[in-house]
Amino acid sequence: MSAVNELLGCNKELLSLLMKGLPIEDREVYIGQIDHLLEKRGTILYSLDFKSQETLQAKNLLLDQDREIRTLLAKQQAQIKEDLKLLKAQKQKNQQYANPYQTLNMQDGAFYDKRK
């Protein structure tokens, strides 16, 4: 199998995985699969001869796939950032509910008698 065909197959597999969308549960497994495919894709790209006739013929298809992969990865990254932001806010609200006086600066109650 040539490097171009291997790259096209890896891109197709990555696109099909990204098209499924970010799952609610088992995100670590999903992100691990994406990471594995991106590493595999990187090694294939490193070994690819960009001046060969086969690569030049598949150039437009490879660029289209790369553009689509990048947009899907950006969308999923934004979704993960939003989820982390919501999780942080929820955690802060839970802490505030558990101890509502934590944020108050409590310096009352100290009495200094200046009389002698």
Side-chain angles (χ1 to χ4, degrees), residues 7-108:
L7 181 61
L8 287 171
C10 185
N11 281 347
K12 185 180 277 189
E13 189 177 349
L14 184 59
L15 278 171
S16 68
L17 186 63
L18 289 171
M19 289 286 191
K20 291 180 183 176
L22 193 62
I24 303 288
E25 296 180 10
D26 294 331
R27 283 189 175 183
E28 292 85 18
V29 174
Y30 177 78
I31 292 172
Q33 290 172 344
I34 289 176
D35 190 41
H36 172 72
L37 287 172
L38 287 173
E39 286 180 17
K40 181 180 174 184
R41 185 173 176 253
T43 57
I44 295 169
L45 279 172
Y46 184 72
S47 67
L48 192 64
D49 179 24
F50 290 102
K51 295 181 181 180
S52 72
Q53 187 65 27
E54 188 180 11
T55 307
L56 292 175
Q57 289 174 350
K59 180 179 82 170
N60 289 334
L61 180 60
L62 288 171
L63 288 174
D64 289 341
Q65 285 180 343
D66 183 59
R67 211 171 290 119
E68 192 171 353
I69 287 171
R70 287 179 188 267
T71 56
L72 289 172
L73 283 174
K75 285 179 185 177
Q76 289 187 3
Q77 182 184 19
Q79 186 178 0
I80 289 172
K81 282 183 180 180
E82 185 66 30
D83 290 346
L84 286 174
K85 187 176 160 184
L86 290 174
L87 184 67
K88 184 178 178 182
Q90 183 182 11
K91 184 178 177 183
Q92 187 177 13
K93 286 192 183 269
N94 286 344
Q95 285 177 348
Q96 189 177 9
Y97 182 75
N99 189 2
Y101 302 110
Q102 180 180 9
T103 58
L104 295 177
N105 192 3
M106 302 284 265
Q107 292 186 2
D108 340 326

